[in-house]
Amino acid sequence: MNMFFGGGGSYYYIIIGLQILCAIHSARRGTLNRWIWLIVFIPVIGCIVYIYSEIISNRNVIRAPKIDVGAVLNPGGKIKKLEDELRFTDTFANKVKLADAYLAAGYTDKAVDLYNASLTGAFSENEHVLAQLIIAYFEQQRYDEVIPIAKKLYNLPQFTRSKAHILYAQSLERTGQTVQAENEFKAMKGRYSYFEPRYEYGLFLTRAGRDNDAYQIFTDMLEEQPHLSPMERKSNRVWFAKAKDELKKLSVQKTV
């Protein structure tokens, strides 16, 4: 450490400033508990590792979910294993892992039962479980039950661009709260980002009979596509393809 702090040079202030910036960035992302010790006690290396892992590697990239190849090829085998683990060790973590597997495999009723059973004690407001319940309830068309859960998560930074937020907006629409639903879709708009919620907003406008507004949403998405990085285009290609399909439908309707 003397090579940086010895002599009272400007290195000291640079490193302190870097630590503060990393700590603020980490706090805003909700990962401070994981990084604070590395940033504070190994300042130079810790800050470099943090910047590479959390800023450079994640810049404008939506991480693809980790794929369990074994689970894809044999989902029943994974579920059986998780069921055995839960019978052997009845813990919150094991309940949630099994519920997640149920939901992914389409066993929504079982997933809901297990999620609700896990919401006890210190885990009664667990963010992951509540977000998963929103997905499960939406699949069950229990839109009235989606809304109060979403309100519990609403002020969390990660809720803004989450699947749960999209389903919250759609649940508002399906319960007749169309003005509030549109406000939520508008809150998820942003140039060169938020392509899934923008696509869903376009569908919302189409259902409302506002074809011109929907046409503009889909057009803007496709016009932004060439300006994205290759990784961004790849991670959002499904939404661009869907937007293109919707534009074709709207174009046909205009000519009829």
Side-chain angles (χ1 to χ4, degrees), residues 90-109:
D90 189 348
T91 64
F92 170 79
N94 284 346
K95 281 191 179 81
V96 174
K97 283 193 292 184
L98 179 55
D100 287 347
Y102 280 151
L103 186 60
Y107 303 130
T108 309
D109 292 346

Side-chain angles (χ1 to χ4, degrees), residues 12-75:
Y12 174 81
Y13 300 102
I14 293 172
I15 294 169
I16 290 295
L18 195 58
Q19 286 177 294
I20 292 171
L21 288 174
C22 290
I24 291 173
H25 186 272
S26 182
R28 288 177 176 172
R29 291 174 58 88
T31 61
L32 191 58
N33 287 341
R34 179 153 54 94
W35 286 101
I36 188 63
W37 301 108
L38 193 64
I39 292 170
V40 170
F41 292 107
I42 315 177
V44 179
I45 296 174
C47 288
I48 291 172
V49 171
Y50 178 82
I51 290 170
Y52 178 79
S53 300
E54 296 293 323
I55 299 177
I56 295 175
S57 295
N58 287 325
R59 188 180 180 185
N60 296 324
V61 174
I62 299 175
R63 285 186 178 178
K66 293 181 180 179
I67 298 174
D68 186 337
V69 177
V72 173
L73 297 176
N74 183 20

Side-chain angles (χ1 to χ4, degrees), residues 210-235:
R210 295 161 57 185
D211 289 355
N212 289 337
D213 293 336
Y215 191 93
Q216 189 61 56
I217 292 284
F218 298 133
T219 300
D220 289 344
M221 288 175 60
L222 295 177
E223 287 179 349
E224 292 169 17
Q225 184 181 8
H227 303 288
L228 302 174
S229 70
M231 182 65 75
E232 288 171 318
R233 288 197 295 272
K234 182 178 180 181
S235 63

Side-chain angles (χ1 to χ4, degrees), residues 49-200:
V49 171
Y50 178 82
I51 290 170
Y52 178 79
S53 300
E54 296 293 323
I55 299 177
I56 295 175
S57 295
N58 287 325
R59 188 180 180 185
N60 296 324
V61 174
I62 299 175
R63 285 186 178 178
K66 293 181 180 179
I67 298 174
D68 186 337
V69 177
V72 173
L73 297 176
N74 183 20
K78 178 183 179 181
I79 288 175
K80 178 66 167 59
K81 179 182 176 183
L82 292 173
E83 287 173 338
D84 291 342
E85 288 179 1
L86 181 58
R87 275 192 292 269
F88 183 73
T89 310
D90 189 348
T91 64
F92 170 79
N94 284 346
K95 281 191 179 81
V96 174
K97 283 193 292 184
L98 179 55
D100 287 347
Y102 280 151
L103 186 60
Y107 303 130
T108 309
D109 292 346
K110 288 185 175 182
V112 166
D113 290 343
L114 207 47
Y115 284 134
N116 282 318
S118 72
L119 290 173
T120 59
F123 304 106
S124 60
E125 300 290 325
N126 183 266
E127 297 163 13
H128 172 77
V129 172
L130 292 177
Q132 292 291 87
L133 266 178
I134 287 174
I135 296 171
Y137 281 155
F138 189 87
E139 289 184 3
Q140 294 178 324
Q141 300 182 14
R142 295 164 66 177
Y143 309 123
D144 285 321
E145 294 177 70
V146 167
I147 294 169
I149 297 176
K151 288 180 178 179
K152 292 182 180 181
L153 302 176
Y154 194 86
N155 292 321
L156 297 176
Q158 60 269 33
F159 182 76
T160 303
R161 58 189 310 169
S162 67
K163 182 70 175 179
H165 194 178
I166 297 172
L167 299 181
Y168 172 50
Q170 292 176 324
S171 295
L172 289 170
E173 178 193 2
R174 283 160 172 76
T175 54
Q177 302 175 68
T178 54
V179 174
Q180 296 93 322
E182 183 164 8
N183 288 337
E184 294 307 320
F185 280 119
K186 286 180 178 178
M188 290 183 277
K189 284 183 66 180
R191 288 180 63 79
Y192 306 104
S193 60
Y194 294 87
F195 293 106
E196 180 180 2
R198 288 166 68 187
Y199 167 75
E200 295 294 348

